[in-house]
Structures are given as structure tokens and as C-alpha cells.
Amino acid sequence: MRVAFKDHDQFCRVIGPQPRTSSRLILTAQKQPGLSDVFRLPLPSGAKAKRIYSCCLSVKSEIMAAPDTHAPPPRNGRFLMVFDFDETIINENSDDAVVRAAPGQTLPNWLLECYRPGHYNEHMQRILAYMAQQGVQEDAIRTEIECIPASPGLPALLTFLRSRPQDFECVVLSDANMYFIETWLNKAGTRQLFSEVFTNPASFDGDGRLVLLPFHAHGCPRCPDNMCKQVILQDYLARRARERGSPFQRVFYIGDGANDICPTLALGEKDTVFPRRDFPMYRIIQDMQKGQPGTFKASVVPWANGEDVMDCLKRAIEER
């Protein structure tokens, strides 16, 4: 991609003060995975090196730039659709899938025995460090993640949601990690559907190790130490209400696991929760409805196929 600036003054307004080299400055953008565009500016003849400037450029009429193919969808939907990732969008736990890239497709017992309840993120950090020590490369990890199948009916559900941006704003809220989620969504061609992805940071360092970090610290006794989904969801709902000038009409939440209970306890009677049938979230909600009536306020629609969810969403659109 080439980005042309009209004159030296315009270049300095965007990049910052620089030596004057010519009346027309041409920069060549070189894409690097996971980084911003890097613009390389030739210095006057005789210079011993090239100076690299990293910057984000606003699209202006006088700047010629390629369109952003990863631009988020317009955020004007009247409903919020929240997705878990593992065993919801995908039909497997991504942390289990990545172990297939390890030597012998298994982990040593001493590593498995290090797990402490409530500290799974910490445990997964050790697993990824072990895999790096065993020489597992990024290509092997990416291949395993990209091969995970979608849950039944989820491709149709995601396609439906992409056709209704006026109705649905979609986000991912997951205790997986950013590398796994974005790798899978990009391979499936569905990343652009989601305005935001809330998950644990993860990226490869200079030594080729996938470094995983906790999302945040919190004081919720129900949740693992690295993430409380209710805190994240409530913060997002409050922020979007300010930005939109009004709250979402309804919130829909689709998940499967025990850690999806905490965020859905914050939802109201107009909202709908989709627990995956016969998975932990489904069983916990059943127990709560029997033993603690009234605790769970949102309506509950179990799902086994994405089309179960889609049918409910279509009815919500028609109700208006």
C-alpha cells in the first residue's frame, strides 16, 4: 500500500516533525502481523540507515490509503448478542484442542497436577510455556485452532446475524484467549461480525512463545481469579448506553459453561439466556430455578443447535 502526502507540512502534521527531503513524500506501508502499519521513509542520499515510523493514519481525502478490511460493523443494533466461545461458537474447548500440537499430543502428569481450582489461566500459562520449550511453533498451534469445528448450526446463526446489523450488536465474552479466538474467527470469515472481543490477552513473543495474561483482577467470589464476566458485561452495557444515548432494548446471551452463570445473573426479565442443553450452564440454571426460584430473572431457552437460537431471535425481531 502506498500513502502519498501532498507536501512536507502535511506529512509533519500526521507523523510529527521530520527533516525536509522533498516537496512530495511517498511512504510505503509494510504490513507486519499483529502490528500497526509501519511506514518506511527514505532519508536523503548518503544516510546510513532508514528510519522507521509507526503510526495510525486517519483516512482523509488527501491521503491515499487502502480500505480497512477489518473495520468493525456499524454499532446501531437495538439488541445486544453476547457469545461465549469455547463449546459455544466452537464445538470444543480451544485449550484442549491446542494440546494436540504438543509432543505425543499429550501433557506430562507433573504439569497436569499443577492445576489449582480457580486458577486455570495460570495453569494454561504453564502449559503454553511447556509447549514452547518443547519446540512447538506458532504454525502448529494455529493449525490446531483453525481445525476446530463450529458448534452445530452456529455458522447459520452467525450468517443470520450478519444480515441484521440494524437489529443486533454482537460481542464475544470468553475465558479463552485473544490469539485462539481471533485465529478461529478470521479463518471462519466471521471476525467482522463482532464489535468487540473480551478475553484474556495472548500473543507470541520474540522467542516464539505464546504468552497468556489474565484479563483483569476482580473481587467476585463466583469467578476464576482472571475474569469475572459479569463485571465485564455490566461495564460494557453502561458504556454503550452512554454512547448510544439509551440502553439496548434486550440482551441475548449464549453460552455453555459454569462461568456463564455469573454474567447472566445480572440480566433482567426482558433478556434471554441460551444455555447449551446438557452442558454445565444448563444444569446449573435448572438447579437454581428449582432451589432458588426468582434468582434467575432472564428467560431461558436451551439450545442444541444454532437454529434454536435463530428461531428465538427471529421472533424478537417480529415483536418489535
Side-chain angles (χ1 to χ4, degrees):
M1 179 179 74
R2 293 176 66 82
V3 181
F5 293 85
K6 182 173 58 180
D7 53 32
H8 180 264
D9 291 338
Q10 183 195 38
F11 173 73
C12 291
R13 285 198 301 271
V14 176
I15 305 297
Q18 305 295 336
R20 184 178 296 275
T21 58
S22 66
S23 60
R24 183 172 177 81
L25 301 171
I26 305 294
L27 304 179
T28 301
Q30 300 181 338
K31 282 280 190 182
Q32 295 188 2
L35 300 177
S36 303
D37 286 347
V38 176
F39 295 87
R40 204 177 281 275
L41 171 66
L43 296 179
S45 58
K48 294 181 179 180
K50 292 183 178 180
R51 185 175 301 167
I52 298 177
Y53 306 94
S54 294
C55 62
C56 293
L57 299 180
S58 299
V59 179
K60 301 178 181 179
S61 59
E62 65 265 28
I63 297 178
M64 298 179 293
D68 181 4
T69 58
H70 298 286
R75 302 204 297 179
N76 55 2
R78 55 202 178 101
F79 305 134
L80 177 66
M81 186 76 194
V82 182
F83 282 84
D84 177 43
F85 182 67
D86 288 333
E87 298 186 295
T88 296
I89 292 179
I90 61 173
N91 203 29
E92 188 178 0
N93 186 310
S94 56
D95 289 340
D96 294 339
V98 77
V99 171
R100 291 195 288 268
Q105 300 187 353
T106 188
L107 300 173
N109 287 335
W110 64 262
L111 183 55
L112 296 175
E113 292 168 359
C114 288
Y115 171 66
R116 295 187 299 151
H119 300 270
Y120 186 78
N121 184 268
E122 171 188 280
H123 180 60
M124 198 61 201
Q125 291 175 33
R126 286 193 292 265
I127 290 174
L128 294 173
Y130 165 81
M131 293 178 64
Q133 291 168 1
Q134 298 301 307
V136 178
Q137 303 290 316
E138 179 180 357
D139 286 350
I141 291 176
R142 183 174 60 250
T143 296
E144 294 300 336
I145 297 301
E146 290 179 343
C147 289
I148 301 172
S151 292
L154 259 292
L157 172 59
L158 299 179
T159 298
F160 167 74
L161 290 168
R162 290 190 68 172
S163 72
R164 305 292 304 192
Q166 71 275 25
D167 292 311
F168 297 99
E169 179 174 319
C170 300
V171 300
V172 174
L173 178 52
S174 167
D175 197 13
N177 69 70
M178 190 65 78
Y179 181 81
F180 290 177
I181 293 175
E182 293 215 319
T183 294
W184 194 92
L185 292 178
N186 285 327
K187 177 66 175 180
T190 56
R191 176 61 184 89
Q192 289 182 332
L193 170 63
F194 299 99
S195 299
E196 297 196 38
V197 174
F198 299 99
T199 189
N200 301 297
S203 61
F204 282 87
D205 65 12
D207 296 324
R209 180 168 70 99
L210 182 56
V211 179
L212 174 66
L213 298 173
F215 183 84
H216 64 181
H218 63 86
C220 176
R222 290 186 295 263
C223 295
D225 63 344
N226 63 294
M227 174 177 284
C228 173
K229 291 187 175 184
Q230 182 177 136
V231 169
I232 299 167
L233 180 57
Q234 287 184 320
D235 287 349
Y236 185 72
L237 290 172
R239 170 163 63 87
R240 292 295 290 127
R242 292 193 299 269
E243 294 169 348
R244 294 160 50 92
S246 62
F248 290 104
Q249 292 179 22
R250 295 176 66 179
V251 177
F252 299 92
Y253 190 111
I254 177 171
D256 71 283
N259 68 349
D260 292 311
I261 294 295
C262 189
T264 54
L265 286 173
L267 301 182
E269 295 177 355
K270 293 183 179 180
D271 305 321
T272 302
V273 173
F274 301 101
R276 190 169 184 180
R277 190 178 294 277
D278 297 328
F279 277 69
M281 183 186 189
Y282 172 78
R283 291 190 287 267
I284 293 171
I285 291 175
Q286 281 190 316
D287 290 342
M288 291 178 64
Q289 289 175 328
K290 293 175 183 177
Q292 307 171 55
T295 302
F296 206 86
K297 297 181 176 61
S299 61
V300 178
V301 180
W303 69 281
N305 189 295
E307 294 182 3
D308 301 331
V309 178
M310 189 161 51
D311 289 343
C312 180
L313 299 181
K314 288 179 178 178
R315 290 194 295 271
I317 292 172
E318 293 170 358
E319 291 170 4
R320 294 203 172 270

